[in-house]
Every structure is written in structure tokens, then in C-alpha cells.
Amino acid sequence: MKKVKPVSNMKSGKIILALLLLIISFPSAIFSEDKKVLAVPAIEAKGVSESIASTCRNILEAALIKTGAFSVMSYTDVEEILEAQAFSLSGCTDDSCAIEIGELLSAEKIVVGSLDGIGEAMVLTIRLVDVEKGNIERAEVINIDNLENLQKQSFTAAYNIAGLKYIAGSDLAVKEKGSLYITAPDGMELEVSLDGKSVGQTPLVINEVDFGVHVIKAESNEYVFENQINVNTTDVTEVIADNALLRGNLLVKINNKNAEGYTIFLDDIPLEAGLNKNLPVGLYSLRVRGNCWYYEGQTEIITGRTSAVSLSLIKGADVLLNAPEHSSSRLISDDTGEYQFTEDLITVPPGEYILEVTHDDYQTYTDSLSLKAGTLQEISPLLIHTDQFLTVEKLEELEAQRTAAIEARRRLNISMISSFSIAAASGIVSGVFEALIASEKTELDSNYTAYNSATLSSEAETLHDAVSANLTAVESYRLYRNIALICSGAGAAGGLTFLFVRPSINKIDEQIASLSEGAK
């Protein structure tokens, strides 16, 4: 698709002439409520000559006229109107382009497609596009063995598109029918209507449904499902009345030819410029961000339709904010409004702003900013803690000290008890050894007396050994007694020290109580 040049006065005259021709040629299209205005602008040639593709288009147009289902615009009128609009059909084969052509022609439906050559055989692919709704109503793919069958197979495709069955060699057309099977999600029982007429309750089979587009509505007291269903096969068409399955398309056109490096968001869903298919239905915010490009708006995705939006992007300013976690920040402008920092980097229109940063632990920060288009401004605000935060911080510090003091006191109490226990045990042990020393000294004195009175050398030697043993025992018992006395003294001293030098927590408790009162 390409646009050539602006419309001149001469071209404007041609537009009026073409519209007059349209009124004269197709009065039924204007005054009839039953027949929709349809145009067949072109069939794309792929592997076949342009003349064969043009012949196929002409056959399709004639066949669609014979169906009587549409008010078909002549190709001459189509060419004159598009020429007056300086619009070229070259390369215009996709659905978005078909919608644009339909709007220019004031046609309600457009047939577009291609003829693909495969050796002597061909494949004809055509689509019926609803211009207003932006969706494909029907599509047909027909195999053509050779040029001799081009007319017959093109008629078959045209009749199928119209929801009819073509009978070769006859002017008769048979209205084909199919069936619908309607079910509800999670076993719900829904009342079903077809084209406004009540037909029963889910699950439900509806037979003898004419080929074409029908409106299905399934509802209960708190649930409503409504969708357009295209019946284009004699097989059963299953319909699940689940709103979560409904989808639509969005055609996004960016008017800024020099714009690049941006991302389009449908809420949080990233999109591309062009046709975006199978999007969940609903009302969404539409945003463009990146490389300082900016756009903010809304759009709606409608079931089975292609919504179109044309966006003129603003060259904005990127702002990178380095703020503490859990802070709430925004830019406020009298001209452009308010913009929340939902992430660190945001893009806003250029202008004069007030930056506001709030956080529970800091005083509110404000600053004036002048943001220019196409620039990146990085901001690291210097925040000041609130008095309450400092009080809470001191409380936390004192609580830590108190916890440490309580633990220290618990350990000192254990140590004091252990010290007194050691002193008591050591005192008992020293008393035992003191008794042993006294006993040994008594025995030693007896041995000395006997030794001094001994007359025989062998008797004296025996007594000498006994005296030596008694002396060794006394010295050993004295050593053990002294160790026990030292332990007893150390234990008693340690216990008394712990008793008089243990930490006091009362002062810390008083400070905590005072700060807690101020932090409330």
C-alpha cells in the first residue's frame, strides 16, 4: 500500500462524480437494509500473470452479483474513487489495508485474496472482511486444476463466501446449513438465544442454521456471554460460552514516521505497530514508552472485531529516579497532569514539573524540574529521616542492648551459682584432705616415737620407711588441700564479684519506655 500525492480540485470533482455514479448504479445498496455494499478491489497475482489474476477478480465480481446477497460495486467505480483519493492498490492485500479501502469506498464489506500458481494448477484464497467490525467473516480456499476450470471454481468460491452452494450450469443457488453445539463453562446452565430468538438451555444443539454470521447470547442472572458466530461448514460448530475465551484484534498505526525505539503497551501487554491478533476483550490503557517517545490513551478490544487506533506520539523526556524502596513518587504539572513512578524510569511530556517523593521513614521531598524533549534526566534526591524514624531506630538499638544485657545477666547468674557451688565443693574437699593430713601426722608421730626407741637395725629400717611414707602422704594431702582451698576461695570470690558487679537493666528499660511514648 502506498499513497501518491494530495487530492487536487480536479480529483475532488472526480470523487463527487464517482459518488454520483455509485448512487445511480447501486440504489439498492443505499436504500436497502438487507443488502450490504461490497467491493472486490483486487486479487493478488502470485506465480500467475496479472491478466489471469484480473480475470479471476472479474469472475468473482460477476459471481457475487449473481448470488444476489450483496450490492456489488463495479471495478470502474472502485478505481475512480481510489484514484481520486490518490490511493494505490499495489501491494494492498492484507486485512488492515482492506479495511482502509472499504472506508474510502464507503463499502461495508470487502473481498480480498490471492491467486497462487503451482505449475498448471492454481490456488484461489479469498476473504470476506467486514469493514465496520474489522473482522474476517468468511474465508475460502479453492484448488483450480487449470485455466479451463477458473470460471467454475471462482463461482464456487464466490457462492461459498455468500453462504450459498453453487450448482454448475444452473442459475439456482442452495442455501447451505450447519449446526451449533453450545456449552457453558464450569457446568453453568445458561439460557441461549440465536439472533434474538430463545432456543433453549445449555448444553444445546441447534440444527438447520443458515450459513452466515449469527449472534449467540447465553446468560443467567449474573453472567452474560454474547458473540458473533460464523457458520460456514455443514459440520457441527462448537461454541463455548466462556467470556475468558473471547478475543479481538487491534490495528495500531503510528503517525510519526521518524519514531523508533519505543514499545507499545496494552495495559502490561507489549504490542507491535500494525495488526495485533487474538487479544483478550476489554477496556485497556494504551501506552507508548521508550527512547523518549510518549503516548497515553485508552482503547477497547471487541469480540471478533479489529479495533483501529491512530497514534500521534509526543517526543517526551525520560526521567530516571533513584529513590528508596517502598517510596511513592510522582511528577506534577499544571499543564500535563500527574505521572506516578510505577517504575524507576518513566517518560513524560516536556514541561515544568514538581517532583514529590514520600516515604514513611523520610520527610516529604519536593523539587522543581524543567524537562526538555528528547533528554534523559537522572535524579537522586537527598532525603532526610523523620524524627519518628530516628526514635524508632533508637528504640531498636536499645531493645538490642536490653536483649544483650538480659542474656549477659542470665549467664552471670549461672556463673555465680557455679562459682558458689565450686567454692562449697572445694571447701568440703579441703576439709577431707585436712582430716587425712591430721590422721597421717598422728601416725607419723607414733612412727617417730617407735623409731627412736628401736634397737635392732632391721626394725629401725622398717620404721624409717614408714616415716618416709607418712611424710610423702602428708605432703600430697597438703597439696590437694591447698588446691581445694584455692578453688574454694576463687569460687567464693567469683560468686561475690558476679553478685555485686552484675549489669543493671532498669536504666535501659526506662529509656525504652520514654522513647516508646514519643514514637506513638
Side-chain angles (χ1 to χ4, degrees), residues 13-14 17 36 50 75 97 100 110 142 157 202 209 239 298 309 323 325 340 370 397 435 447 475 477 487:
K14 285 188 175 183
L17 176 60
K36 302 293 186 181
E50 291 289 344
Y75 188 60
C97 186
E100 189 172 358
I110 291 285
I142 299 291
T202 57
V209 180
V239 179
Q298 280 190 329
V309 292
E325 191 176 3
Q340 293 284 343
S370 180
E397 181 183 344
N447 286 336
E475 292 302 323
Y477 292 152
C487 290

Side-chain angles (χ1 to χ4, degrees), residues 100-257:
E100 189 172 358
I101 291 174
E103 291 173 346
L104 292 175
L105 297 174
S106 296
E108 295 161 290
K109 299 184 186 294
I110 291 285
V111 172
V112 293
S114 63
L115 186 63
D116 296 70
I118 308 173
E120 293 185 0
M122 292 168 283
V123 176
L124 174 61
T125 304
I126 57 175
R127 302 182 301 282
L128 178 65
V129 179
D130 188 304
V131 176
E132 180 185 0
K133 298 174 182 175
N135 66 325
I136 300 172
E137 281 194 7
R138 300 189 187 98
E140 286 294 325
V141 179
I142 299 291
N143 294 320
I144 303 173
D145 297 334
N146 48 54
L147 281 174
E148 294 179 359
N149 289 326
L150 179 61
Q151 178 177 340
K152 175 184 175 182
Q153 297 302 90
S154 297
F155 260 74
T156 299
Y159 272 64
N160 289 349
I161 280 289
L164 301 170
K165 183 176 181 180
Y166 174 66
I167 301 175
S170 170
D171 289 334
L172 297 175
V174 179
K175 189 72 174 178
E176 291 199 282
K177 298 179 182 293
S179 298
L180 291 173
Y181 175 49
I182 318 294
T183 60
D186 301 326
M188 289 193 297
E189 293 183 352
L190 304 177
E191 294 293 332
V192 180
S193 63
L194 177 65
D195 297 327
K197 182 180 178 181
S198 179
V199 289
Q201 193 176 65
T202 57
L204 176 67
V205 176
I206 310 173
N207 295 314
E208 297 296 309
V209 180
D210 292 340
F211 273 26
V213 178
H214 300 272
V215 177
I216 293 289
K217 190 171 184 180
E219 57 187 328
S220 63
N221 292 334
E222 299 178 352
Y223 186 87
V224 178
F225 170 90
E226 187 171 359
N227 196 16
Q228 289 186 338
I229 304 299
N230 184 18
V231 178
N232 57 7
T233 175
T234 55
D235 296 332
V236 176
T237 301
E238 183 178 2
V239 179
I240 303 175
D242 189 347
N243 287 320
L245 301 178
L246 297 182
R247 292 290 187 271
N249 303 329
L250 180 63
L251 177 63
V252 181
K253 182 180 179 182
I254 303 297
N255 297 327
N256 309 67
K257 295 182 179 180

Side-chain angles (χ1 to χ4, degrees), residues 29 37 39-40 67 105-106 121 182 200 251 342 373 378 423 490 507:
V37 178
V40 188
T67 65
L105 297 174
S106 296
I182 318 294
L251 177 63
T342 55
E378 185 173 357
K507 193 169 184 179

Side-chain angles (χ1 to χ4, degrees), residues 193-484:
S193 63
L194 177 65
D195 297 327
K197 182 180 178 181
S198 179
V199 289
Q201 193 176 65
T202 57
L204 176 67
V205 176
I206 310 173
N207 295 314
E208 297 296 309
V209 180
D210 292 340
F211 273 26
V213 178
H214 300 272
V215 177
I216 293 289
K217 190 171 184 180
E219 57 187 328
S220 63
N221 292 334
E222 299 178 352
Y223 186 87
V224 178
F225 170 90
E226 187 171 359
N227 196 16
Q228 289 186 338
I229 304 299
N230 184 18
V231 178
N232 57 7
T233 175
T234 55
D235 296 332
V236 176
T237 301
E238 183 178 2
V239 179
I240 303 175
D242 189 347
N243 287 320
L245 301 178
L246 297 182
R247 292 290 187 271
N249 303 329
L250 180 63
L251 177 63
V252 181
K253 182 180 179 182
I254 303 297
N255 297 327
N256 309 67
K257 295 182 179 180
N258 62 333
E260 59 182 15
Y262 57 82
T263 303
I264 306 168
F265 293 97
L266 188 71
D267 278 0
D268 294 327
I269 304 172
L271 302 181
E272 298 290 339
L275 186 62
N276 299 267
K277 297 183 177 181
N278 297 322
L279 300 171
V281 299
L283 185 65
Y284 295 91
S285 67
L286 186 62
R287 300 179 295 116
V288 176
R289 296 290 188 274
N291 198 24
C292 292
W293 289 108
Y294 174 86
Y295 177 83
E296 192 82 34
Q298 280 190 329
T299 190
E300 185 176 10
I301 306 300
I302 303 172
T303 306
R305 299 185 184 181
T306 298
S307 303
V309 292
S310 182
L311 310 183
S312 295
L313 307 186
I314 299 172
K315 192 64 173 180
D318 285 342
V319 182
L320 178 61
L321 179 64
N322 300 311
E325 191 176 3
H326 306 305
S327 62
S328 176
S329 307
R330 59 178 180 165
L331 289 170
I332 308 168
S333 169
D334 293 336
D335 298 325
T336 59
E338 178 181 317
Y339 302 91
Q340 293 284 343
F341 279 85
T342 55
E343 49 194 1
D344 294 339
L345 177 65
I346 66 171
T347 305
V348 298
E352 302 297 322
Y353 290 88
I354 298 295
L355 170 65
E356 180 182 272
V357 182
T358 59
H359 193 287
D360 290 342
D361 296 337
Y362 298 91
Q363 297 178 20
T364 299
Y365 174 91
T366 58
D367 192 14
S368 298
L369 300 178
S370 180
L371 303 178
K372 297 181 179 180
T375 61
L376 169 65
Q377 188 157 347
E378 185 173 357
I379 305 169
S380 299
L382 181 61
L383 304 183
I384 301 173
H385 280 118
T386 62
D387 293 339
Q388 183 175 357
F389 172 81
L390 295 174
T391 300
V392 171
E393 189 176 44
K394 183 64 177 177
L395 272 173
E396 292 175 351
E397 181 183 344
L398 286 173
E399 285 287 359
Q401 292 178 7
R402 186 177 188 277
T403 301
I406 290 172
E407 178 63 19
R409 183 172 68 180
R410 185 184 67 82
R411 292 180 180 178
L412 288 171
N413 287 339
I414 294 173
S415 300
M416 181 180 66
I417 293 170
S418 300
S419 298
F420 281 121
S421 298
I422 291 171
S426 299
I428 294 171
V429 171
S430 64
V432 169
F433 281 108
E434 194 68 43
L436 291 173
I437 289 171
S439 174
E440 287 295 321
K441 287 181 70 177
T442 301
E443 184 68 23
L444 180 62
D445 291 338
S446 175
N447 286 336
Y448 264 119
T449 302
Y451 174 73
N452 291 329
S453 62
T455 55
L456 299 176
S457 59
S458 58
E459 184 180 0
E461 185 176 350
T462 301
L463 290 171
H464 178 272
D465 292 340
V467 169
S468 297
N470 286 134
L471 287 172
T472 301
V474 168
E475 292 302 323
S476 295
Y477 292 152
R478 280 178 177 167
L479 175 62
Y480 297 147
R481 180 201 61 188
N482 291 340
I483 291 173

